[in-house]
Amino acid sequence: MRLAFWHRLSQPHLDTIFLFGDSLTQGGWQPYGFAQKLAYVYARKFDVINRGMSGYNTEWAIPVLEQVLVKKEVRDQYPKARIAIIFFGANDACIQPSPQYVPIPKFKSNLTHIIHRFTSTDSPFYSPETKIILMTPPPINTYQRGAELGARNPPQKLDREFNNTKAYADAVKEVAAAEGTVLVDIWEAVYDKAGRDEKALNKYLSDGLHFTPEGYAIVFDEIIKKISSELPELHHDNLKPVFPPWDQIDHKNPGSLKARTP
């Protein structure tokens, strides 16, 4: 079942960018989302596979990952994930008694485990072709979040704290440094755009937690900048389309069209 499932994720001739995260990733398919924008700029080069799981933390995400990755002994038969973007922390950073809460040491351990499923030769899913990008969660606007939760029926208490979420963003940085992965620091990028003013985050966060179009624009831009600087061979401008442009086709013999080997 796993192999058939992965095969349906992508065109057989296109390798992939694999997105793995919570609602901030799942929401990336919105018309202005970062996943949609990645799919557009990588059209005909890589497929974008979005496995964002709204509400999930790293503890719940690991069993999902185990079911969607292809085992290494058959990976040559299926499209390869050339980039894996891992984007967790917003839910792990919930405060107790939220069931989404994951303590920072366990959060870091879970992130490391997720990375090792791709990078460790001992992993059944070892994929040396995959480059990992680790993303920090964005800052929380507790003014917006508190108002949104308080307006629910029945009203709910604030479930996240500004400085606590910052600690989880810092934890992501520590894991990226320890594992040597590419880091995209969304926390700093968004907070800087807001002038380091929590209340001004409402331009980038719709409810204190999830991105507005302006917020997703930052996410996309930061990812592309890091790919350009640290993974230039995988930048969309440096990749050729799998099938040739129309003006390079042998018009008298279209049956000769062949996919380029990645």
Short mmCIF file of all heavy atoms in Angstrom, two decimals, residues 114-143:
data_model
loop_
_atom_site.label_atom_id
_atom_site.label_comp_id
_atom_site.label_asym_id
_atom_site.label_seq_id
_atom_site.Cartn_x
_atom_site.Cartn_y
_atom_site.Cartn_z
N ILE A 114 12.97 12.85 12.61
CA ILE A 114 12.41 13.08 11.27
C ILE A 114 13.54 13.29 10.25
O ILE A 114 13.52 12.70 9.17
CB ILE A 114 11.47 14.30 11.30
CG1 ILE A 114 10.20 13.95 12.09
CG2 ILE A 114 11.11 14.75 9.89
CD1 ILE A 114 9.32 15.14 12.40
N ILE A 115 14.52 14.10 10.62
CA ILE A 115 15.65 14.34 9.71
C ILE A 115 16.38 13.03 9.42
O ILE A 115 16.72 12.73 8.26
CB ILE A 115 16.61 15.37 10.32
CG1 ILE A 115 15.94 16.74 10.38
CG2 ILE A 115 17.91 15.45 9.53
CD1 ILE A 115 16.69 17.76 11.22
N HIS A 116 16.60 12.24 10.45
CA HIS A 116 17.37 10.99 10.30
C HIS A 116 16.65 9.96 9.44
O HIS A 116 17.29 9.06 8.90
CB HIS A 116 17.72 10.41 11.66
CG HIS A 116 18.80 11.17 12.37
ND1 HIS A 116 19.26 10.81 13.62
CD2 HIS A 116 19.52 12.25 12.00
CE1 HIS A 116 20.20 11.66 14.00
NE2 HIS A 116 20.37 12.55 13.03
N ARG A 117 15.33 10.06 9.33
CA ARG A 117 14.62 9.13 8.45
C ARG A 117 15.08 9.32 7.01
O ARG A 117 15.03 8.39 6.21
CB ARG A 117 13.10 9.31 8.54
CG ARG A 117 12.52 9.08 9.91
CD ARG A 117 13.13 7.90 10.64
NE ARG A 117 12.39 6.66 10.48
CZ ARG A 117 12.87 5.47 10.82
NH1 ARG A 117 14.11 5.35 11.27
NH2 ARG A 117 12.14 4.39 10.68
N PHE A 118 15.56 10.51 6.67
CA PHE A 118 16.09 10.78 5.34
C PHE A 118 17.60 10.58 5.27
O PHE A 118 18.11 10.10 4.25
CB PHE A 118 15.78 12.23 4.93
CG PHE A 118 14.33 12.54 4.75
CD1 PHE A 118 13.59 13.08 5.79
CD2 PHE A 118 13.70 12.31 3.53
CE1 PHE A 118 12.25 13.39 5.63
CE2 PHE A 118 12.36 12.63 3.35
CZ PHE A 118 11.63 13.16 4.41
N THR A 119 18.31 10.96 6.33
CA THR A 119 19.77 11.11 6.22
C THR A 119 20.58 9.96 6.79
O THR A 119 21.77 9.83 6.46
CB THR A 119 20.21 12.40 6.94
OG1 THR A 119 19.91 12.29 8.35
CG2 THR A 119 19.51 13.61 6.35
N SER A 120 19.98 9.14 7.63
CA SER A 120 20.74 8.06 8.27
C SER A 120 20.79 6.82 7.37
O SER A 120 19.76 6.36 6.88
CB SER A 120 20.12 7.69 9.62
OG SER A 120 20.75 6.54 10.15
N THR A 121 21.98 6.27 7.20
CA THR A 121 22.11 5.04 6.41
C THR A 121 21.41 3.87 7.08
O THR A 121 21.11 2.86 6.43
CB THR A 121 23.59 4.69 6.19
OG1 THR A 121 24.25 4.59 7.46
CG2 THR A 121 24.27 5.76 5.35
N ASP A 122 21.14 3.98 8.37
CA ASP A 122 20.43 2.92 9.08
C ASP A 122 18.91 3.02 8.93
O ASP A 122 18.18 2.11 9.32
CB ASP A 122 20.76 2.96 10.58
CG ASP A 122 22.22 2.65 10.87
OD1 ASP A 122 22.81 1.86 10.09
OD2 ASP A 122 22.77 3.18 11.84
N SER A 123 18.43 4.12 8.38
CA SER A 123 17.00 4.31 8.22
C SER A 123 16.46 3.46 7.08
O SER A 123 17.09 3.39 6.01
CB SER A 123 16.69 5.78 7.94
OG SER A 123 15.36 5.95 7.49
N PRO A 124 15.30 2.85 7.25
CA PRO A 124 14.70 2.12 6.11
C PRO A 124 14.27 3.03 4.98
O PRO A 124 13.96 2.57 3.89
CB PRO A 124 13.48 1.43 6.75
CG PRO A 124 13.16 2.22 7.96
CD PRO A 124 14.48 2.76 8.47
N PHE A 125 14.29 4.36 5.23
CA PHE A 125 13.87 5.34 4.23
C PHE A 125 15.03 6.23 3.78
O PHE A 125 14.82 7.32 3.23
CB PHE A 125 12.74 6.21 4.79
CG PHE A 125 11.64 5.43 5.43
CD1 PHE A 125 11.48 5.42 6.82
CD2 PHE A 125 10.77 4.66 4.67
CE1 PHE A 125 10.48 4.69 7.42
CE2 PHE A 125 9.76 3.92 5.27
CZ PHE A 125 9.61 3.94 6.65
N TYR A 126 16.24 5.78 4.02
CA TYR A 126 17.44 6.56 3.68
C TYR A 126 17.36 7.07 2.25
O TYR A 126 17.11 6.32 1.31
CB TYR A 126 18.68 5.70 3.86
CG TYR A 126 19.97 6.34 3.43
CD1 TYR A 126 20.39 7.56 3.95
CD2 TYR A 126 20.80 5.70 2.49
CE1 TYR A 126 21.58 8.13 3.55
CE2 TYR A 126 22.00 6.27 2.09
CZ TYR A 126 22.39 7.49 2.63
OH TYR A 126 23.57 8.05 2.23
N SER A 127 17.58 8.38 2.10
CA SER A 127 17.45 9.02 0.79
C SER A 127 18.57 10.04 0.63
O SER A 127 18.38 11.22 0.93
CB SER A 127 16.07 9.69 0.66
OG SER A 127 15.94 10.33 -0.58
N PRO A 128 19.74 9.63 0.17
CA PRO A 128 20.87 10.54 0.08
C PRO A 128 20.65 11.69 -0.90
O PRO A 128 21.35 12.70 -0.84
CB PRO A 128 22.02 9.64 -0.37
CG PRO A 128 21.37 8.47 -1.04
CD PRO A 128 20.08 8.26 -0.29
N GLU A 129 19.67 11.55 -1.80
CA GLU A 129 19.40 12.62 -2.76
C GLU A 129 18.64 13.79 -2.13
O GLU A 129 18.55 14.86 -2.71
CB GLU A 129 18.57 12.09 -3.93
CG GLU A 129 19.19 10.92 -4.68
CD GLU A 129 18.81 9.57 -4.09
OE1 GLU A 129 18.12 9.56 -3.03
OE2 GLU A 129 19.19 8.54 -4.67
N THR A 130 18.07 13.58 -0.95
CA THR A 130 17.19 14.57 -0.34
C THR A 130 17.97 15.60 0.46
O THR A 130 18.75 15.25 1.35
CB THR A 130 16.17 13.88 0.58
OG1 THR A 130 15.45 12.88 -0.16
CG2 THR A 130 15.19 14.90 1.15
N LYS A 131 17.76 16.87 0.15
CA LYS A 131 18.31 17.97 0.93
C LYS A 131 17.23 18.47 1.90
O LYS A 131 16.10 18.72 1.49
CB LYS A 131 18.76 19.12 0.02
CG LYS A 131 19.77 18.71 -1.04
CD LYS A 131 21.06 18.18 -0.42
CE LYS A 131 22.07 17.86 -1.51
NZ LYS A 131 23.34 17.28 -0.93
N ILE A 132 17.61 18.61 3.16
CA ILE A 132 16.66 18.98 4.20
C ILE A 132 16.69 20.49 4.43
O ILE A 132 17.76 21.09 4.56
CB ILE A 132 16.98 18.27 5.53
CG1 ILE A 132 17.04 16.75 5.33
CG2 ILE A 132 15.96 18.64 6.60
CD1 ILE A 132 15.74 16.11 4.96
N ILE A 133 15.51 21.09 4.49
CA ILE A 133 15.35 22.49 4.91
C ILE A 133 14.50 22.48 6.17
O ILE A 133 13.36 21.99 6.15
CB ILE A 133 14.70 23.36 3.83
CG1 ILE A 133 15.59 23.44 2.59
CG2 ILE A 133 14.40 24.75 4.37
CD1 ILE A 133 14.99 24.23 1.44
N LEU A 134 15.03 22.99 7.25
CA LEU A 134 14.32 23.05 8.52
C LEU A 134 13.83 24.48 8.73
O LEU A 134 14.59 25.44 8.58
CB LEU A 134 15.26 22.63 9.66
CG LEU A 134 14.65 22.05 10.93
CD1 LEU A 134 13.78 20.85 10.62
CD2 LEU A 134 15.76 21.66 11.90
N MET A 135 12.55 24.61 9.09
CA MET A 135 11.91 25.92 9.22
C MET A 135 11.54 26.17 10.68
O MET A 135 10.99 25.29 11.36
CB MET A 135 10.63 25.97 8.39
CG MET A 135 10.80 25.52 6.96
SD MET A 135 10.88 26.87 5.80
CE MET A 135 9.19 27.41 5.82
N THR A 136 11.79 27.38 11.16
CA THR A 136 11.32 27.75 12.49
C THR A 136 9.85 28.16 12.40
O THR A 136 9.40 28.65 11.37
CB THR A 136 12.11 28.92 13.08
OG1 THR A 136 11.82 30.10 12.33
CG2 THR A 136 13.60 28.65 13.08
N PRO A 137 9.09 27.99 13.49
CA PRO A 137 7.73 28.53 13.49
C PRO A 137 7.77 30.05 13.51
O PRO A 137 8.77 30.65 13.95
CB PRO A 137 7.14 27.97 14.80
CG PRO A 137 8.32 27.78 15.69
CD PRO A 137 9.44 27.36 14.78
N PRO A 138 6.72 30.69 13.05
CA PRO A 138 6.66 32.16 13.11
C PRO A 138 6.35 32.62 14.53
O PRO A 138 5.93 31.83 15.38
CB PRO A 138 5.50 32.49 12.16
CG PRO A 138 4.59 31.31 12.29
CD PRO A 138 5.50 30.12 12.45
N PRO A 139 6.51 33.90 14.79
CA PRO A 139 6.09 34.43 16.09
C PRO A 139 4.58 34.35 16.25
O PRO A 139 3.84 34.28 15.26
CB PRO A 139 6.58 35.88 16.07
CG PRO A 139 6.71 36.21 14.62
CD PRO A 139 7.08 34.94 13.92
N ILE A 140 4.12 34.36 17.49
CA ILE A 140 2.70 34.36 17.81
C ILE A 140 2.27 35.79 18.17
O ILE A 140 2.99 36.49 18.90
CB ILE A 140 2.42 33.41 19.00
CG1 ILE A 140 2.71 31.97 18.60
CG2 ILE A 140 0.99 33.55 19.49
CD1 ILE A 140 1.82 31.43 17.53
N ASN A 141 1.13 36.21 17.66
CA ASN A 141 0.54 37.47 18.09
C ASN A 141 -0.51 37.12 19.16
O ASN A 141 -1.63 36.72 18.83
CB ASN A 141 -0.10 38.20 16.91
CG ASN A 141 -0.64 39.57 17.28
OD1 ASN A 141 -0.95 39.84 18.44
ND2 ASN A 141 -0.73 40.44 16.29
N THR A 142 -0.13 37.24 20.42
CA THR A 142 -1.03 36.81 21.50
C THR A 142 -2.24 37.73 21.62
O THR A 142 -3.28 37.31 22.15
CB THR A 142 -0.28 36.76 22.83
OG1 THR A 142 0.30 38.05 23.12
CG2 THR A 142 0.83 35.72 22.79
N TYR A 143 -2.13 38.97 21.14
CA TYR A 143 -3.28 39.87 21.17
C TYR A 143 -4.37 39.35 20.23
O TYR A 143 -5.55 39.24 20.61
CB TYR A 143 -2.86 41.28 20.75
CG TYR A 143 -1.82 41.88 21.66
CD1 TYR A 143 -0.46 41.80 21.34
CD2 TYR A 143 -2.18 42.53 22.84
CE1 TYR A 143 0.51 42.34 22.17
CE2 TYR A 143 -1.22 43.08 23.67
CZ TYR A 143 0.12 42.98 23.34
OH TYR A 143 1.07 43.52 24.16
#
